Amino acid sequence: IRLSLVGSEMCIRDSIETAPLALSEFGAAMRCYPICFTNGDTPTPVAVMALEKGRNLFVDALGGWRRDHHVPSCLSRYPLVALAGHDGKIRLYADFSSGRLVQIRPGVDEDVDPIFEESGGLSSFGKSSVIRSQLAERSLADSAELGRALAEAGVLTPSKAPGLGDAGQALRDLSLIHI
């Protein structure tokens, strides 16, 4: 089966509240989103996309990103992601329920980039998806290291979301840098 991504914009649910950030995207992300850290043993930097639970403020009515907003790398590679298994081999995973993957119809879908070649191997698009996932995973590991260092330094403070009332519910499970 040959598969392809459909459309030019990634369709996502408007319920995404936060998205993990790689260190390499902090500059672009901070222009669009507040950056906070998750609570727990490994605080992870996240872009805050909602003030209310289940209401992403950066997705339009059609499920696409609002114009001129950075798309976090963990979301831009969706519905494909390449991860290393316990044996160290890289596997390509796909969310077939996303509606973003379709079977290519010969003679009809000539203008799409297939993930797999007819021989069964990865196409150039499939290979670039794997490379992007690997780079993003490495950068997310660096972000986790930053979170651990900030926690050890004692500068992360649980968010109180003052003055936001119920609208700040999504922020209550996060920490802020307090210097």
Side-chain angles (χ1 to χ4, degrees):
I1 295 177
R2 291 171 41 183
L3 301 172
S4 174
L5 285 173
V6 195
S8 61
E9 278 200 66
M10 179 185 76
C11 291
I12 64 165
R13 294 187 191 133
D14 63 0
S15 62
I16 295 175
E17 298 165 1
T18 62
L21 289 174
L23 284 179
S24 60
E25 60 188 325
F26 268 44
M30 70 183 219
R31 290 177 179 89
C32 303
Y33 315 105
I35 298 175
C36 292
F37 288 80
T38 59
N39 293 323
D41 294 337
T42 306
T44 303
V46 294
V48 177
M49 300 178 175
L51 294 178
E52 297 177 31
K53 290 250 183 224
R55 187 163 176 251
N56 185 340
L57 301 172
F58 300 96
V59 174
D60 64 25
L62 299 175
W65 289 103
R66 292 191 186 270
R67 214 171 259 209
D68 299 326
H69 279 80
H70 171 73
V71 179
S73 64
C74 68
L75 299 177
S76 67
R77 54 194 168 128
Y78 179 82
L80 298 175
V81 64
L83 299 171
H86 296 295
D87 58 3
K89 292 183 180 178
I90 302 296
R91 292 176 175 80
L92 185 63
Y93 295 90
D95 180 0
F96 291 98
S97 68
S98 71
R100 303 282 298 150
L101 298 167
V102 296
Q103 185 171 351
I104 293 177
R105 299 166 294 174
V108 177
D109 298 316
E110 301 298 324
D111 60 338
V112 296
D113 293 322
I115 298 166
F116 298 100
E117 295 179 347
E118 288 184 33
S119 65
L122 284 174
S123 68
S124 60
F125 176 79
K127 289 174 185 174
S128 72
S129 295
V130 169
I131 291 168
R132 279 193 344 244
S133 280
Q134 290 174 314
L135 292 172
E137 289 301 314
R138 286 185 197 134
S139 192
L140 287 171
D142 292 341
S143 294
E145 186 60 36
L146 170 66
R148 280 190 290 278
L150 291 172
E152 287 174 13
V155 296
L156 293 180
T157 304
S159 172
K160 304 279 191 244
L164 293 175
D166 290 339
Q169 185 60 42
L171 293 176
R172 289 195 178 94
D173 298 329
L174 300 173
S175 290
L176 307 171
I177 297 175
H178 181 76
I179 300 176

